[in-house]
Amino acid sequence: MSLHGKTALVTGSTSGIGLGIALVLAKAGANLLLNGFGDAQAAIDQVAALGGKVRHHPADMSKVAEIEALMAYAEHEFGGIDILVNNAGIQYVAPVEEFPVERWDAIIAINLTSAFHTTRLALPGMRTRNWGRIINIASAHGLAASAGKSAYVAAKHGLVGLTKSVALETATIGVTCNAICPGWVLTPLVQKQIDDRALASGDAQQARHDLLAEKQPSLDFVTPEQLGELALFLCSDAAVQVRGAAWNMDGGWLAR
Ligand code: NAD
């Protein structure tokens, strides 16, 4: 399918899942507005090599004024956003009674509230054009919990709820809103959790195996490319009646 003439904003697309999704959408012909910290130039170069127009905006997705600046930039540079992928996210693991308040606030702001802001700012243009795709990158943790991840689980369950509400509010127009719920994907966010386990056990291979075995029956990681292909399907005409779904791609995590 072709996304020529469409513009996609993928938040948190300088690495991991966001970059993987951006690459698949760019390969299908979309123009890309990237966002995120770290080596933005490397991400820009990879996406630009696929041919479309590419820009990067460094908005901190925990700050409403910066999100508003990002969306104004999208309007100015591309004439608006057709495909909004709310992907930026962080993780922190601690028991709830020891959870640092500042980490709680940051996780809720980046993993949940930022999607509210981008959605409310992107929707008017999508309504005018009567076409849009909003894809929220939630998690298996949007549908099931794990100990030690209270803020992340709360944010991701919230993101699934936001997805359903927005899907209902757009149910009769050409805008769809869905969530993708990945299981383990080997990105910096997960590598840190493997490293923390390896630090305790002294065995990196075992730590990787144990992390998978606890949750993911396939014993293999989901890849950013596979998630990109699912996002691309959600952009297709065939997916126009997929509305308010929380679609897991999780190696069987939620089947147990
Ligand atoms: P990652 O750490 O590789 O990438 C996170 C991206 O978000 C980076 O581009 C980073 O710069 C950006 N980011 C972080 N804080 C930001 C902020 N304040 N403002 C703007 N950008 C910011 O992580 P990932 O594993 O690719 O995760 C991407 C999304 O997928 C997250 O929402 C995560 O919760 C979700 N997810 C990941 C997994 C997994 O196993 N890796 C599983 C399920 C869901």
Side-chain angles (χ1 to χ4, degrees), residues 69-151:
L70 164 70
M71 300 308 281
Y73 179 80
E75 194 63 44
H76 180 263
E77 280 291 311
F78 294 96
I81 296 298
D82 303 297
I83 300 163
L84 169 63
V85 182
N86 289 307
N87 167 78
I90 58 169
Q91 176 63 286
Y92 191 87
V93 182
V96 67
E97 69 272 32
E98 292 163 24
F99 215 89
V101 170
E102 164 276 323
R103 284 293 84 196
W104 173 280
D105 288 343
I107 288 175
I108 299 298
I110 297 165
N111 297 18
L112 174 58
T113 308
S114 73
F116 157 67
H117 290 304
T118 53
T119 299
R120 73 179 170 80
L121 294 166
L123 248 183
M126 291 178 177
R127 278 189 194 280
T128 301
R129 293 184 289 277
N130 195 32
W131 198 94
R133 295 290 186 265
I134 301 171
I135 301 171
N136 293 324
I137 306 305
S139 168
H141 283 118
L143 299 167
S146 292
K149 297 186 176 176
S150 53

Side-chain angles (χ1 to χ4, degrees), residues 10-252:
V10 185
T11 68
S13 46
T14 48
S15 86
I17 294 169
L19 180 55
I21 292 174
L23 288 167
V24 172
L25 298 182
K27 206 168 159 192
N31 298 319
L32 256 299
L33 176 51
L34 305 176
N35 157 261
F37 303 147
D39 192 350
Q41 195 55 51
I44 293 168
D45 291 347
Q46 281 186 67
V47 177
L50 297 168
K53 177 173 171 178
V54 187
R55 294 287 183 273
H56 170 266
H57 190 283
D60 179 338
M61 299 306 290
S62 69
K63 299 198 165 76
V64 61
E66 295 193 24
I67 297 171
E68 287 173 349
L70 164 70
M71 300 308 281
Y73 179 80
E75 194 63 44
H76 180 263
E77 280 291 311
F78 294 96
I81 296 298
D82 303 297
I83 300 163
L84 169 63
V85 182
N86 289 307
N87 167 78
I90 58 169
Q91 176 63 286
Y92 191 87
V93 182
V96 67
E97 69 272 32
E98 292 163 24
F99 215 89
V101 170
E102 164 276 323
R103 284 293 84 196
W104 173 280
D105 288 343
I107 288 175
I108 299 298
I110 297 165
N111 297 18
L112 174 58
T113 308
S114 73
F116 157 67
H117 290 304
T118 53
T119 299
R120 73 179 170 80
L121 294 166
L123 248 183
M126 291 178 177
R127 278 189 194 280
T128 301
R129 293 184 289 277
N130 195 32
W131 198 94
R133 295 290 186 265
I134 301 171
I135 301 171
N136 293 324
I137 306 305
S139 168
H141 283 118
L143 299 167
S146 292
K149 297 186 176 176
S150 53
Y152 189 85
V153 168
K156 295 299 188 179
H157 274 68
L159 190 56
V160 169
L162 174 67
T163 302
K164 292 178 184 176
S165 273
V166 174
L168 290 181
E169 291 181 24
T170 54
T172 59
I173 61 171
V175 176
T176 72
C177 181
N178 292 288
I180 292 178
C181 298
W184 293 125
V185 186
L186 192 53
T187 66
L189 183 141
V190 165
Q191 188 60 50
K192 186 180 175 311
Q193 295 174 60
I194 296 175
D195 293 346
D196 289 347
R197 284 168 180 252
L199 219 75
S201 71
D203 185 340
Q205 260 322 98
Q206 191 63 40
R208 183 189 143 110
H209 173 83
D210 290 350
L211 177 115
L212 280 169
E214 257 174 34
K215 301 284 186 191
Q216 201 142 302
S218 67
L219 299 180
D220 205 358
F221 291 101
V222 180
T223 69
E225 296 70 29
Q226 290 162 348
L227 292 164
E229 293 294 339
L230 177 53
L232 181 61
F233 170 69
L234 291 174
C235 292
S236 71
D237 292 341
V240 76
Q241 291 306 328
V242 182
R243 290 172 184 262
W247 191 321
N248 45 312
M249 183 184 268
D250 62 3

